[in-house]
Amino acid sequence: MNNTKPKLALALGILCISIFPILVRLQLTNGLISAFYRMFIAGLLLLPYIIVTKKFQLPKTNLFLLSCLCGIVFATDIAIWNIAIQKSTATQATLLANLSPVWVGMGSFFFLKNKPTTNFWMGTIIALLGMAILVGIETFAQLNFDLAFVLALLSGILYATYILISKNLLTQLDVLSFMSLVLFSSSIFLALVCSITGENFTGFTPTAWLVLFVQGAICQLTAWLLISYATQHLKATRVSLSLLGQAVLATLLAWILLGEKMSWDRILGAVFLLLGIRVTFYDKRIGFKKSK
């Protein structure tokens, strides 16, 4: 099968996600309520389309429950990710959360038919080295093994769990039906969390509402429709590692839009990260030939 369309969809989806850190840094709303509206607005925008086109198909009970579980896992990941950032540095949270390709690789080895290849593990090592250089080697010296450390680590595991479950479900469900259930369940879950924690659902500035809309429409709906389509046709391990590419794009966008410094170590880290991703998409096995 020609993988050009799934690869293009994955690249565009990653580009859409990369905008999110820039919007979060504006700090116009609290992290938890931002997570809720990201899912809720995406669901509101998708609802009219699936009603008019009648694209939504109610799956069997087991697939329905698993899709809802997938939404809750994704929502929990977002909530924990925000808490981890608030309780520690963003770089520490980013570094730990981006260990998700390792968890996806391990999960694929034990639970999926398509086992991780040597190329995947080589690419993962190179990409994680690039990620370490990108966020700064000094970050390792500042790691605090506290609650925030555990939450950030858990965020990466939940992210990997979402990728693995969705990969399995998307072999049996169409993308729109799956995304509808994910957005529905995650919105309800995050609404409950925000209510329990006493978050305000209104009273934001017009700029804040605009940012929330962009997060829902672009960073969630558009991005994850594209990524779900790619997940349907590509290996879960490749998708998970490719998602690290958002760190490169986010750094580039921060340099262009926010005026953040672009140092040589960041450029070197980006090169390693992208090289690692490229290795996983190299079909021929990389290694030394056995001597006769």
Side-chain angles (χ1 to χ4, degrees), residues 183-199:
L183 293 172
F184 173 76
S185 57
S186 60
S187 295
I188 292 177
F189 178 78
L190 285 170
L192 290 173
V193 171
C194 289
S195 298
I196 292 171
T197 55
E199 296 288 335

PDB file of all heavy atoms in Angstrom, residues 183-199:
ATOM      1  N   LEU A 183     -13.723  12.349  21.859  1.00  0.00           N
ATOM      2  CA  LEU A 183     -14.013  13.727  22.252  1.00  0.00           C
ATOM      3  C   LEU A 183     -15.174  13.794  23.240  1.00  0.00           C
ATOM      4  O   LEU A 183     -15.158  14.587  24.190  1.00  0.00           O
ATOM      5  CB  LEU A 183     -14.321  14.574  21.011  1.00  0.00           C
ATOM      6  CG  LEU A 183     -13.149  14.801  20.058  1.00  0.00           C
ATOM      7  CD1 LEU A 183     -13.618  15.488  18.785  1.00  0.00           C
ATOM      8  CD2 LEU A 183     -12.055  15.621  20.729  1.00  0.00           C
ATOM      9  N   PHE A 184     -16.195  12.962  23.032  1.00  0.00           N
ATOM     10  CA  PHE A 184     -17.365  12.922  23.907  1.00  0.00           C
ATOM     11  C   PHE A 184     -16.961  12.496  25.320  1.00  0.00           C
ATOM     12  O   PHE A 184     -17.282  13.168  26.302  1.00  0.00           O
ATOM     13  CB  PHE A 184     -18.401  11.944  23.332  1.00  0.00           C
ATOM     14  CG  PHE A 184     -19.581  11.697  24.226  1.00  0.00           C
ATOM     15  CD1 PHE A 184     -20.585  12.641  24.350  1.00  0.00           C
ATOM     16  CD2 PHE A 184     -19.676  10.513  24.957  1.00  0.00           C
ATOM     17  CE1 PHE A 184     -21.679  12.413  25.196  1.00  0.00           C
ATOM     18  CE2 PHE A 184     -20.765  10.277  25.803  1.00  0.00           C
ATOM     19  CZ  PHE A 184     -21.759  11.228  25.916  1.00  0.00           C
ATOM     20  N   SER A 185     -16.258  11.391  25.429  1.00  0.00           N
ATOM     21  CA  SER A 185     -15.885  10.855  26.743  1.00  0.00           C
ATOM     22  C   SER A 185     -14.866  11.738  27.459  1.00  0.00           C
ATOM     23  O   SER A 185     -14.965  11.964  28.669  1.00  0.00           O
ATOM     24  CB  SER A 185     -15.333   9.431  26.601  1.00  0.00           C
ATOM     25  OG  SER A 185     -14.229   9.400  25.708  1.00  0.00           O
ATOM     26  N   SER A 186     -13.892  12.264  26.717  1.00  0.00           N
ATOM     27  CA  SER A 186     -12.867  13.106  27.341  1.00  0.00           C
ATOM     28  C   SER A 186     -13.446  14.442  27.816  1.00  0.00           C
ATOM     29  O   SER A 186     -13.036  14.959  28.859  1.00  0.00           O
ATOM     30  CB  SER A 186     -11.709  13.347  26.372  1.00  0.00           C
ATOM     31  OG  SER A 186     -12.160  13.984  25.200  1.00  0.00           O
ATOM     32  N   SER A 187     -14.414  14.988  27.076  1.00  0.00           N
ATOM     33  CA  SER A 187     -15.050  16.254  27.473  1.00  0.00           C
ATOM     34  C   SER A 187     -15.819  16.086  28.779  1.00  0.00           C
ATOM     35  O   SER A 187     -15.734  16.930  29.681  1.00  0.00           O
ATOM     36  CB  SER A 187     -15.998  16.743  26.374  1.00  0.00           C
ATOM     37  OG  SER A 187     -15.298  17.060  25.196  1.00  0.00           O
ATOM     38  N   ILE A 188     -16.579  14.993  28.889  1.00  0.00           N
ATOM     39  CA  ILE A 188     -17.340  14.726  30.114  1.00  0.00           C
ATOM     40  C   ILE A 188     -16.382  14.524  31.294  1.00  0.00           C
ATOM     41  O   ILE A 188     -16.581  15.079  32.386  1.00  0.00           O
ATOM     42  CB  ILE A 188     -18.235  13.481  29.937  1.00  0.00           C
ATOM     43  CG1 ILE A 188     -19.348  13.775  28.926  1.00  0.00           C
ATOM     44  CG2 ILE A 188     -18.837  13.049  31.283  1.00  0.00           C
ATOM     45  CD1 ILE A 188     -20.244  12.596  28.635  1.00  0.00           C
ATOM     46  N   PHE A 189     -15.339  13.754  31.069  1.00  0.00           N
ATOM     47  CA  PHE A 189     -14.372  13.476  32.133  1.00  0.00           C
ATOM     48  C   PHE A 189     -13.698  14.754  32.618  1.00  0.00           C
ATOM     49  O   PHE A 189     -13.609  15.008  33.831  1.00  0.00           O
ATOM     50  CB  PHE A 189     -13.325  12.484  31.626  1.00  0.00           C
ATOM     51  CG  PHE A 189     -12.249  12.176  32.629  1.00  0.00           C
ATOM     52  CD1 PHE A 189     -12.485  11.304  33.676  1.00  0.00           C
ATOM     53  CD2 PHE A 189     -10.990  12.763  32.516  1.00  0.00           C
ATOM     54  CE1 PHE A 189     -11.486  11.027  34.615  1.00  0.00           C
ATOM     55  CE2 PHE A 189      -9.996  12.486  33.439  1.00  0.00           C
ATOM     56  CZ  PHE A 189     -10.246  11.616  34.499  1.00  0.00           C
ATOM     57  N   LEU A 190     -13.226  15.585  31.679  1.00  0.00           N
ATOM     58  CA  LEU A 190     -12.535  16.821  32.059  1.00  0.00           C
ATOM     59  C   LEU A 190     -13.493  17.837  32.680  1.00  0.00           C
ATOM     60  O   LEU A 190     -13.094  18.617  33.554  1.00  0.00           O
ATOM     61  CB  LEU A 190     -11.841  17.427  30.838  1.00  0.00           C
ATOM     62  CG  LEU A 190     -10.566  16.714  30.403  1.00  0.00           C
ATOM     63  CD1 LEU A 190     -10.082  17.233  29.057  1.00  0.00           C
ATOM     64  CD2 LEU A 190      -9.471  16.866  31.453  1.00  0.00           C
ATOM     65  N   ALA A 191     -14.768  17.834  32.252  1.00  0.00           N
ATOM     66  CA  ALA A 191     -15.762  18.713  32.859  1.00  0.00           C
ATOM     67  C   ALA A 191     -15.958  18.357  34.326  1.00  0.00           C
ATOM     68  O   ALA A 191     -16.064  19.242  35.188  1.00  0.00           O
ATOM     69  CB  ALA A 191     -17.089  18.608  32.105  1.00  0.00           C
ATOM     70  N   LEU A 192     -15.989  17.054  34.634  1.00  0.00           N
ATOM     71  CA  LEU A 192     -16.114  16.595  36.016  1.00  0.00           C
ATOM     72  C   LEU A 192     -14.895  16.995  36.836  1.00  0.00           C
ATOM     73  O   LEU A 192     -15.019  17.468  37.974  1.00  0.00           O
ATOM     74  CB  LEU A 192     -16.301  15.077  36.047  1.00  0.00           C
ATOM     75  CG  LEU A 192     -17.644  14.541  35.532  1.00  0.00           C
ATOM     76  CD1 LEU A 192     -17.618  13.018  35.455  1.00  0.00           C
ATOM     77  CD2 LEU A 192     -18.789  15.002  36.438  1.00  0.00           C
ATOM     78  N   VAL A 193     -13.701  16.805  36.250  1.00  0.00           N
ATOM     79  CA  VAL A 193     -12.459  17.161  36.950  1.00  0.00           C
ATOM     80  C   VAL A 193     -12.427  18.661  37.246  1.00  0.00           C
ATOM     81  O   VAL A 193     -12.087  19.079  38.366  1.00  0.00           O
ATOM     82  CB  VAL A 193     -11.226  16.758  36.114  1.00  0.00           C
ATOM     83  CG1 VAL A 193      -9.944  17.316  36.742  1.00  0.00           C
ATOM     84  CG2 VAL A 193     -11.126  15.247  35.994  1.00  0.00           C
ATOM     85  N   CYS A 194     -12.784  19.471  36.265  1.00  0.00           N
ATOM     86  CA  CYS A 194     -12.780  20.936  36.438  1.00  0.00           C
ATOM     87  C   CYS A 194     -13.817  21.374  37.475  1.00  0.00           C
ATOM     88  O   CYS A 194     -13.578  22.309  38.247  1.00  0.00           O
ATOM     89  CB  CYS A 194     -13.055  21.626  35.106  1.00  0.00           C
ATOM     90  SG  CYS A 194     -11.695  21.518  33.930  1.00  0.00           S
ATOM     91  N   SER A 195     -14.972  20.705  37.507  1.00  0.00           N
ATOM     92  CA  SER A 195     -16.017  21.035  38.490  1.00  0.00           C
ATOM     93  C   SER A 195     -15.552  20.706  39.899  1.00  0.00           C
ATOM     94  O   SER A 195     -15.741  21.486  40.838  1.00  0.00           O
ATOM     95  CB  SER A 195     -17.302  20.263  38.173  1.00  0.00           C
ATOM     96  OG  SER A 195     -17.815  20.627  36.913  1.00  0.00           O
ATOM     97  N   ILE A 196     -14.927  19.543  40.052  1.00  0.00           N
ATOM     98  CA  ILE A 196     -14.440  19.108  41.369  1.00  0.00           C
ATOM     99  C   ILE A 196     -13.340  20.026  41.891  1.00  0.00           C
ATOM    100  O   ILE A 196     -13.279  20.346  43.080  1.00  0.00           O
ATOM    101  CB  ILE A 196     -13.921  17.655  41.289  1.00  0.00           C
ATOM    102  CG1 ILE A 196     -15.086  16.694  41.033  1.00  0.00           C
ATOM    103  CG2 ILE A 196     -13.193  17.256  42.578  1.00  0.00           C
ATOM    104  CD1 ILE A 196     -14.663  15.273  40.722  1.00  0.00           C
ATOM    105  N   THR A 197     -12.469  20.481  40.982  1.00  0.00           N
ATOM    106  CA  THR A 197     -11.341  21.342  41.383  1.00  0.00           C
ATOM    107  C   THR A 197     -11.715  22.822  41.441  1.00  0.00           C
ATOM    108  O   THR A 197     -10.869  23.668  41.750  1.00  0.00           O
ATOM    109  CB  THR A 197     -10.149  21.157  40.415  1.00  0.00           C
ATOM    110  OG1 THR A 197     -10.587  21.404  39.066  1.00  0.00           O
ATOM    111  CG2 THR A 197      -9.599  19.743  40.514  1.00  0.00           C
ATOM    112  N   GLY A 198     -12.984  23.148  41.131  1.00  0.00           N
ATOM    113  CA  GLY A 198     -13.452  24.527  41.256  1.00  0.00           C
ATOM    114  C   GLY A 198     -12.996  25.477  40.157  1.00  0.00           C
ATOM    115  O   GLY A 198     -12.855  26.684  40.398  1.00  0.00           O
ATOM    116  N   GLU A 199     -12.767  24.949  38.960  1.00  0.00           N
ATOM    117  CA  GLU A 199     -12.354  25.802  37.839  1.00  0.00           C
ATOM    118  C   GLU A 199     -13.523  26.670  37.346  1.00  0.00           C
ATOM    119  O   GLU A 199     -14.683  26.255  37.398  1.00  0.00           O
ATOM    120  CB  GLU A 199     -11.864  24.941  36.674  1.00  0.00           C
ATOM    121  CG  GLU A 199     -10.626  24.125  36.964  1.00  0.00           C
ATOM    122  CD  GLU A 199      -9.379  24.977  37.065  1.00  0.00           C
ATOM    123  OE1 GLU A 199      -9.353  26.066  36.474  1.00  0.00           O
ATOM    124  OE2 GLU A 199      -8.430  24.543  37.734  1.00  0.00           O
TER     125      GLU A 199
END
